[in-house]
Amino acid sequence: MNQQDPRPGPDWVEGVKTEVSGMAREGMNHPSTKPVLTGAAIGAAAGLLLPVLSIPVGLIAGAGFALYQRVKK
């Protein structure tokens, strides 16, 4: 029987750590910084337009989704 675990392990946590520390070190020169900031801006705009969200919640959600998309690649 195959013993491979189909569930994703803590690899994505390491990927997020690597991306965030790289963005902190390199600033705007890191390739993930601009897409994450764009996602944050889109989320903030959605928080401004949608009555159930606030701007900070939209900003965090947008940045988190963009970061997840970068790590998933």
Side-chain angles (χ1 to χ4, degrees), residues 7-73:
R7 294 176 295 159
D11 293 336
W12 67 274
V13 174
E14 292 299 322
V16 169
K17 282 183 187 178
T18 304
E19 288 294 316
V20 170
S21 66
M23 289 189 310
R25 247 182 288 122
E26 297 178 29
M28 291 300 289
N29 294 329
H30 193 273
S32 294
T33 303
K34 291 176 185 170
V36 170
L37 289 177
T38 302
I42 292 170
L48 181 67
L49 296 175
L50 297 174
V52 294
L53 291 178
S54 64
I55 293 172
V57 171
L59 182 118
I60 292 169
F65 182 72
L67 182 62
Y68 172 74
Q69 292 294 332
R70 293 291 298 181
V71 170
K72 191 173 82 169
K73 284 185 180 181

